[in-house]
mmCIF file of all heavy atoms in Angstrom:
data_model
loop_
_atom_site.group_PDB
_atom_site.id
_atom_site.type_symbol
_atom_site.label_atom_id
_atom_site.label_comp_id
_atom_site.label_asym_id
_atom_site.label_seq_id
_atom_site.Cartn_x
_atom_site.Cartn_y
_atom_site.Cartn_z
ATOM 1 N N SER A 113 100.718 112.434 88.623
ATOM 2 C CA SER A 113 100.183 112.965 87.370
ATOM 3 C C SER A 113 99.934 114.485 87.573
ATOM 4 O O SER A 113 99.278 114.907 88.669
ATOM 5 C CB SER A 113 98.890 112.244 86.944
ATOM 6 O OG SER A 113 98.499 112.568 85.680
ATOM 7 N N GLY A 114 100.160 115.313 86.635
ATOM 8 C CA GLY A 114 99.950 116.685 86.781
ATOM 9 C C GLY A 114 98.520 117.165 86.876
ATOM 10 O O GLY A 114 97.652 116.523 86.428
ATOM 11 N N SER A 115 98.264 118.202 87.447
ATOM 12 C CA SER A 115 96.925 118.917 87.573
ATOM 13 C C SER A 115 97.268 120.375 87.990
ATOM 14 O O SER A 115 98.443 120.852 87.814
ATOM 15 C CB SER A 115 95.991 118.267 88.519
ATOM 16 O OG SER A 115 94.722 118.841 88.370
ATOM 17 N N ALA A 116 96.246 121.150 88.256
ATOM 18 C CA ALA A 116 96.528 122.551 88.794
ATOM 19 C C ALA A 116 95.491 123.032 89.730
ATOM 20 O O ALA A 116 94.395 122.381 89.843
ATOM 21 C CB ALA A 116 96.540 123.489 87.510
ATOM 22 N N VAL A 117 95.667 124.066 90.501
ATOM 23 C CA VAL A 117 94.760 124.578 91.386
ATOM 24 C C VAL A 117 93.556 125.226 90.642
ATOM 25 O O VAL A 117 92.538 125.551 91.197
ATOM 26 C CB VAL A 117 95.245 125.542 92.407
ATOM 27 C CG1 VAL A 117 96.180 124.864 93.399
ATOM 28 C CG2 VAL A 117 96.006 126.650 91.599
ATOM 29 N N GLY A 118 93.753 125.388 89.255
ATOM 30 C CA GLY A 118 92.609 125.747 88.592
ATOM 31 C C GLY A 118 91.376 124.769 88.629
ATOM 32 O O GLY A 118 90.285 125.010 88.192
ATOM 33 N N PHE A 119 91.681 123.557 89.151
ATOM 34 C CA PHE A 119 90.643 122.581 89.442
ATOM 35 C C PHE A 119 89.506 123.284 90.230
ATOM 36 O O PHE A 119 88.327 122.872 90.068
ATOM 37 C CB PHE A 119 91.299 121.512 90.237
ATOM 38 C CG PHE A 119 90.322 120.422 90.726
ATOM 39 C CD1 PHE A 119 90.002 119.217 89.844
ATOM 40 C CD2 PHE A 119 89.670 120.472 91.819
ATOM 41 C CE1 PHE A 119 89.067 118.266 90.263
ATOM 42 C CE2 PHE A 119 88.667 119.403 92.313
ATOM 43 C CZ PHE A 119 88.416 118.435 91.483
ATOM 44 N N TYR A 120 89.856 124.221 91.061
ATOM 45 C CA TYR A 120 88.800 124.685 92.056
ATOM 46 C C TYR A 120 88.050 125.835 91.295
ATOM 47 O O TYR A 120 87.063 126.266 91.896
ATOM 48 C CB TYR A 120 89.488 125.200 93.257
ATOM 49 C CG TYR A 120 90.193 124.122 93.903
ATOM 50 C CD1 TYR A 120 91.664 124.061 93.962
ATOM 51 C CD2 TYR A 120 89.649 123.090 94.709
ATOM 52 C CE1 TYR A 120 92.373 123.047 94.563
ATOM 53 C CE2 TYR A 120 90.278 122.023 95.301
ATOM 54 C CZ TYR A 120 91.731 122.072 95.205
ATOM 55 O OH TYR A 120 92.380 121.008 95.942
ATOM 56 N N VAL A 128 91.102 127.685 100.368
ATOM 57 C CA VAL A 128 90.924 126.618 99.490
ATOM 58 C C VAL A 128 91.865 125.362 99.962
ATOM 59 O O VAL A 128 93.155 125.565 99.944
ATOM 60 C CB VAL A 128 91.199 126.889 98.076
ATOM 61 C CG1 VAL A 128 91.096 125.587 97.139
ATOM 62 C CG2 VAL A 128 90.148 127.937 97.583
ATOM 63 N N THR A 129 91.364 124.266 100.348
ATOM 64 C CA THR A 129 92.182 122.978 100.514
ATOM 65 C C THR A 129 91.630 121.930 99.586
ATOM 66 O O THR A 129 90.832 122.244 98.752
ATOM 67 C CB THR A 129 91.914 122.477 101.966
ATOM 68 O OG1 THR A 129 90.510 121.898 102.074
ATOM 69 C CG2 THR A 129 92.098 123.661 102.993
ATOM 70 N N GLU A 130 92.196 120.829 99.725
ATOM 71 C CA GLU A 130 91.903 119.651 98.750
ATOM 72 C C GLU A 130 90.376 119.214 98.983
ATOM 73 O O GLU A 130 89.971 118.599 98.102
ATOM 74 C CB GLU A 130 92.811 118.457 99.005
ATOM 75 C CG GLU A 130 94.285 118.726 98.478
ATOM 76 C CD GLU A 130 95.141 119.474 99.581
ATOM 77 O OE1 GLU A 130 94.523 119.982 100.638
ATOM 78 O OE2 GLU A 130 96.273 119.672 99.288
ATOM 79 N N ASP A 131 89.791 119.597 100.034
ATOM 80 C CA ASP A 131 88.450 119.237 100.193
ATOM 81 C C ASP A 131 87.344 120.344 99.686
ATOM 82 O O ASP A 131 86.155 120.115 99.851
ATOM 83 C CB ASP A 131 88.119 119.073 101.723
ATOM 84 C CG ASP A 131 88.959 117.945 102.258
ATOM 85 O OD1 ASP A 131 89.030 116.925 101.473
ATOM 86 O OD2 ASP A 131 89.279 117.855 103.430
ATOM 87 N N THR A 132 87.843 121.402 99.109
ATOM 88 C CA THR A 132 87.037 122.661 98.777
ATOM 89 C C THR A 132 86.209 122.104 97.466
ATOM 90 O O THR A 132 86.784 121.747 96.412
ATOM 91 C CB THR A 132 87.737 123.841 98.480
ATOM 92 O OG1 THR A 132 88.503 124.168 99.690
ATOM 93 C CG2 THR A 132 86.846 124.910 98.006
ATOM 94 N N PRO A 134 84.654 122.547 93.863
ATOM 95 C CA PRO A 134 85.099 123.441 92.853
ATOM 96 C C PRO A 134 83.962 124.276 92.383
ATOM 97 O O PRO A 134 82.792 123.909 92.470
ATOM 98 C CB PRO A 134 85.536 122.485 91.791
ATOM 99 C CG PRO A 134 84.753 121.160 91.971
ATOM 100 C CD PRO A 134 84.578 121.170 93.472
ATOM 101 N N HIS A 140 88.311 124.230 85.712
ATOM 102 C CA HIS A 140 87.908 123.050 86.585
ATOM 103 C C HIS A 140 87.669 121.888 85.665
ATOM 104 O O HIS A 140 88.137 120.799 85.988
ATOM 105 C CB HIS A 140 86.607 123.370 87.404
ATOM 106 C CG HIS A 140 85.961 122.150 87.823
ATOM 107 N ND1 HIS A 140 86.595 121.322 88.822
ATOM 108 C CD2 HIS A 140 84.723 121.584 87.650
ATOM 109 C CE1 HIS A 140 85.789 120.286 89.056
ATOM 110 N NE2 HIS A 140 84.727 120.397 88.361
ATOM 111 N N CYS A 143 91.062 120.329 84.416
ATOM 112 C CA CYS A 143 91.683 119.680 85.395
ATOM 113 C C CYS A 143 91.070 118.424 85.836
ATOM 114 O O CYS A 143 91.522 117.339 86.132
ATOM 115 C CB CYS A 143 92.018 120.523 86.662
ATOM 116 S SG CYS A 143 93.144 121.867 86.339
ATOM 117 N N ARG A 144 89.578 118.487 86.111
ATOM 118 C CA ARG A 144 88.913 117.304 86.548
ATOM 119 C C ARG A 144 88.995 116.277 85.598
ATOM 120 O O ARG A 144 89.155 115.008 85.949
ATOM 121 C CB ARG A 144 87.373 117.766 86.599
ATOM 122 C CG ARG A 144 86.443 116.578 86.950
ATOM 123 C CD ARG A 144 84.913 116.957 86.534
ATOM 124 N NE ARG A 144 84.738 117.218 85.092
ATOM 125 C CZ ARG A 144 83.715 117.828 84.506
ATOM 126 N NH1 ARG A 144 82.809 118.151 85.274
ATOM 127 N NH2 ARG A 144 83.685 117.768 83.090
ATOM 128 N N TRP A 146 91.368 115.754 83.360
ATOM 129 C CA TRP A 146 92.754 115.331 83.260
ATOM 130 C C TRP A 146 93.119 114.402 84.429
ATOM 131 O O TRP A 146 93.677 113.339 84.178
ATOM 132 C CB TRP A 146 93.668 116.577 83.450
ATOM 133 C CG TRP A 146 95.065 116.485 83.236
ATOM 134 C CD1 TRP A 146 95.782 115.448 82.624
ATOM 135 C CD2 TRP A 146 96.085 117.567 83.466
ATOM 136 N NE1 TRP A 146 97.002 115.770 82.618
ATOM 137 C CE2 TRP A 146 97.375 117.023 83.109
ATOM 138 C CE3 TRP A 146 95.997 118.849 84.009
ATOM 139 C CZ2 TRP A 146 98.519 117.784 83.202
ATOM 140 C CZ3 TRP A 146 97.167 119.583 84.131
ATOM 141 C CH2 TRP A 146 98.381 119.000 83.758
ATOM 142 N N GLU A 147 92.568 114.705 85.639
ATOM 143 C CA GLU A 147 92.792 113.704 86.775
ATOM 144 C C GLU A 147 91.928 112.438 86.503
ATOM 145 O O GLU A 147 92.446 111.309 86.837
ATOM 146 C CB GLU A 147 92.306 114.427 87.964
ATOM 147 C CG GLU A 147 93.164 115.526 88.388
ATOM 148 C CD GLU A 147 92.822 116.202 89.758
ATOM 149 O OE1 GLU A 147 91.900 115.540 90.461
ATOM 150 O OE2 GLU A 147 93.353 117.304 90.101
ATOM 151 N N CYS A 161 98.981 109.824 92.397
ATOM 152 C CA CYS A 161 98.956 111.091 93.173
ATOM 153 C C CYS A 161 98.613 112.175 92.072
ATOM 154 O O CYS A 161 99.145 112.041 90.978
ATOM 155 C CB CYS A 161 100.280 111.413 93.819
ATOM 156 S SG CYS A 161 100.666 110.375 95.095
ATOM 157 N N PHE A 162 98.114 113.288 92.434
ATOM 158 C CA PHE A 162 97.760 114.334 91.506
ATOM 159 C C PHE A 162 98.394 115.635 92.106
ATOM 160 O O PHE A 162 98.153 115.945 93.311
ATOM 161 C CB PHE A 162 96.302 114.563 91.351
ATOM 162 C CG PHE A 162 95.652 113.525 90.801
ATOM 163 C CD1 PHE A 162 94.652 112.630 91.578
ATOM 164 C CD2 PHE A 162 95.680 113.078 89.399
ATOM 165 C CE1 PHE A 162 94.081 111.536 91.072
ATOM 166 C CE2 PHE A 162 95.043 112.028 88.968
ATOM 167 C CZ PHE A 162 94.276 111.213 89.729
ATOM 168 N N SER A 163 99.203 116.288 91.283
ATOM 169 C CA SER A 163 99.929 117.505 91.757
ATOM 170 C C SER A 163 99.117 118.717 91.180
ATOM 171 O O SER A 163 99.295 119.123 90.069
ATOM 172 C CB SER A 163 101.286 117.567 91.054
ATOM 173 O OG SER A 163 101.948 118.887 91.414
ATOM 174 N N ARG A 164 98.162 119.210 92.101
ATOM 175 C CA ARG A 164 97.412 120.522 91.704
ATOM 176 C C ARG A 164 98.366 121.775 92.004
ATOM 177 O O ARG A 164 98.381 122.311 93.078
ATOM 178 C CB ARG A 164 96.122 120.534 92.584
ATOM 179 C CG ARG A 164 95.068 119.433 92.145
ATOM 180 C CD ARG A 164 93.921 119.515 92.958
ATOM 181 N NE ARG A 164 92.997 118.333 92.609
ATOM 182 C CZ ARG A 164 91.884 118.058 93.320
ATOM 183 N NH1 ARG A 164 91.610 118.680 94.385
ATOM 184 N NH2 ARG A 164 91.112 117.109 92.809
ATOM 185 N N THR A 165 99.132 122.044 90.987
ATOM 186 C CA THR A 165 100.087 123.114 91.111
ATOM 187 C C THR A 165 99.566 124.438 90.887
ATOM 188 O O THR A 165 98.668 124.773 90.172
ATOM 189 C CB THR A 165 101.204 122.784 89.967
ATOM 190 O OG1 THR A 165 101.557 121.402 90.157
ATOM 191 C CG2 THR A 165 102.378 123.731 90.153
ATOM 192 N N GLY A 166 100.149 125.442 91.620
ATOM 193 C CA GLY A 166 99.879 126.836 91.436
ATOM 194 C C GLY A 166 100.643 127.501 90.429
ATOM 195 O O GLY A 166 101.160 126.818 89.515
ATOM 196 N N VAL A 167 100.746 128.810 90.489
ATOM 197 C CA VAL A 167 101.414 129.681 89.656
ATOM 198 C C VAL A 167 103.024 129.489 90.105
ATOM 199 O O VAL A 167 103.410 129.952 91.181
ATOM 200 C CB VAL A 167 101.143 131.206 89.761
ATOM 201 C CG1 VAL A 167 101.927 132.030 88.854
ATOM 202 C CG2 VAL A 167 99.626 131.252 89.428
ATOM 203 N N PRO A 199 97.985 131.889 93.975
ATOM 204 C CA PRO A 199 98.537 130.654 94.623
ATOM 205 C C PRO A 199 99.858 130.128 94.066
ATOM 206 O O PRO A 199 100.033 129.337 93.426
ATOM 207 C CB PRO A 199 97.438 129.453 94.402
ATOM 208 C CG PRO A 199 96.810 129.950 93.003
ATOM 209 C CD PRO A 199 96.954 131.415 92.906
ATOM 210 N N VAL A 201 103.973 129.272 93.943
ATOM 211 C CA VAL A 201 105.037 128.283 94.544
ATOM 212 C C VAL A 201 106.151 128.387 93.707
ATOM 213 O O VAL A 201 106.287 128.686 92.468
ATOM 214 C CB VAL A 201 104.309 126.842 94.415
ATOM 215 C CG1 VAL A 201 104.135 126.463 93.003
ATOM 216 C CG2 VAL A 201 105.102 125.822 95.147
ATOM 217 N N LEU A 210 106.931 116.842 93.975
ATOM 218 C CA LEU A 210 106.738 115.602 93.156
ATOM 219 C C LEU A 210 107.720 114.459 93.454
ATOM 220 O O LEU A 210 107.123 113.284 93.543
ATOM 221 C CB LEU A 210 107.142 116.030 91.664
ATOM 222 C CG LEU A 210 106.279 117.041 90.959
ATOM 223 C CD1 LEU A 210 106.904 117.559 89.642
ATOM 224 C CD2 LEU A 210 104.905 116.494 90.616
ATOM 225 N N MET A 213 105.975 112.795 96.617
ATOM 226 C CA MET A 213 104.944 111.948 96.250
ATOM 227 C C MET A 213 105.436 110.689 95.637
ATOM 228 O O MET A 213 104.837 109.501 95.843
ATOM 229 C CB MET A 213 103.955 112.605 95.161
ATOM 230 C CG MET A 213 103.175 113.805 95.710
ATOM 231 S SD MET A 213 102.090 114.455 94.388
ATOM 232 C CE MET A 213 102.394 116.240 94.749
ATOM 233 N N GLY A 221 96.297 110.236 96.084
ATOM 234 C CA GLY A 221 95.253 111.394 95.894
ATOM 235 C C GLY A 221 95.769 112.730 95.458
ATOM 236 O O GLY A 221 96.850 112.908 95.014
ATOM 237 N N ALA A 222 94.914 113.723 95.605
ATOM 238 C CA ALA A 222 95.240 115.122 95.205
ATOM 239 C C ALA A 222 96.098 115.851 96.261
ATOM 240 O O ALA A 222 95.698 115.840 97.409
ATOM 241 C CB ALA A 222 94.030 115.868 94.793
ATOM 242 N N TYR A 223 97.057 116.738 95.833
ATOM 243 C CA TYR A 223 97.823 117.610 96.632
ATOM 244 C C TYR A 223 97.835 119.004 96.108
ATOM 245 O O TYR A 223 98.193 119.129 94.866
ATOM 246 C CB TYR A 223 99.231 116.992 96.845
ATOM 247 C CG TYR A 223 99.302 115.773 97.722
ATOM 248 C CD1 TYR A 223 99.097 114.597 97.113
ATOM 249 C CD2 TYR A 223 99.443 115.738 99.074
ATOM 250 C CE1 TYR A 223 99.173 113.435 97.880
ATOM 251 C CE2 TYR A 223 99.546 114.661 99.787
ATOM 252 C CZ TYR A 223 99.309 113.402 99.202
ATOM 253 O OH TYR A 223 99.414 112.209 99.925
ATOM 254 N N ASN A 224 97.467 119.953 96.779
ATOM 255 C CA ASN A 224 97.717 121.325 96.356
ATOM 256 C C ASN A 224 99.251 121.620 96.513
ATOM 257 O O ASN A 224 99.868 121.720 97.631
ATOM 258 C CB ASN A 224 96.922 122.354 97.256
ATOM 259 C CG ASN A 224 95.427 122.324 96.963
ATOM 260 O OD1 ASN A 224 94.925 121.599 95.986
ATOM 261 N ND2 ASN A 224 94.710 122.797 97.925
ATOM 262 N N VAL A 225 99.867 121.878 95.434
ATOM 263 C CA VAL A 225 101.279 122.181 95.343
ATOM 264 C C VAL A 225 101.403 123.703 95.195
ATOM 265 O O VAL A 225 101.721 124.206 94.048
ATOM 266 C CB VAL A 225 102.039 121.398 94.183
ATOM 267 C CG1 VAL A 225 103.506 121.677 94.323
ATOM 268 C CG2 VAL A 225 101.816 120.000 94.367
ATOM 269 N N VAL A 226 101.284 124.341 96.311
ATOM 270 C CA VAL A 226 101.342 125.850 96.492
ATOM 271 C C VAL A 226 102.027 126.211 97.722
ATOM 272 O O VAL A 226 102.171 125.395 98.714
ATOM 273 C CB VAL A 226 99.942 126.455 96.485
ATOM 274 C CG1 VAL A 226 99.215 126.202 95.143
ATOM 275 C CG2 VAL A 226 99.083 125.749 97.597
ATOM 276 N N ALA A 274 94.560 129.152 97.843
ATOM 277 C CA ALA A 274 94.784 127.790 98.064
ATOM 278 C C ALA A 274 96.021 127.564 99.037
ATOM 279 O O ALA A 274 96.999 128.174 99.072
ATOM 280 C CB ALA A 274 95.196 127.144 96.766
ATOM 281 N N LEU A 275 95.787 126.600 99.916
ATOM 282 C CA LEU A 275 96.719 126.072 100.900
ATOM 283 C C LEU A 275 97.175 124.651 100.686
ATOM 284 O O LEU A 275 96.335 123.764 100.213
ATOM 285 C CB LEU A 275 96.165 126.242 102.277
ATOM 286 C CG LEU A 275 95.773 127.635 102.783
ATOM 287 C CD1 LEU A 275 95.179 127.546 104.178
ATOM 288 C CD2 LEU A 275 97.022 128.570 102.900
ATOM 289 N N PRO A 276 98.446 124.388 100.871
ATOM 290 C CA PRO A 276 98.911 123.054 100.753
ATOM 291 C C PRO A 276 98.498 122.011 101.887
ATOM 292 O O PRO A 276 99.523 121.463 102.530
ATOM 293 C CB PRO A 276 100.470 123.221 100.531
ATOM 294 C CG PRO A 276 100.762 124.298 101.441
ATOM 295 C CD PRO A 276 99.481 125.140 101.316
ATOM 296 N N LEU A 279 99.942 118.496 101.884
ATOM 297 C CA LEU A 279 101.419 118.347 101.987
ATOM 298 C C LEU A 279 101.937 118.731 103.297
ATOM 299 O O LEU A 279 102.817 118.047 103.871
ATOM 300 C CB LEU A 279 102.023 119.341 100.957
ATOM 301 C CG LEU A 279 102.121 118.891 99.453
ATOM 302 C CD1 LEU A 279 102.708 119.993 98.648
ATOM 303 C CD2 LEU A 279 102.891 117.566 99.348
#
Side-chain angles (χ1 to χ4, degrees):
S113 198
S115 187
V117 290
F119 176 93
Y120 304 103
V128 174
T129 72
E130 291 85 354
D131 295 325
T132 299
H140 163 64
C143 294
R144 175 199 66 193
W146 192 10
E147 293 182 13
C161 297
F162 301 105
S163 173
R164 292 179 180 167
T165 306
V167 181
V201 62
L210 292 170
M213 291 180 223
Y223 291 87
N224 291 344
V225 181
V226 293
L275 296 176
L279 278 178

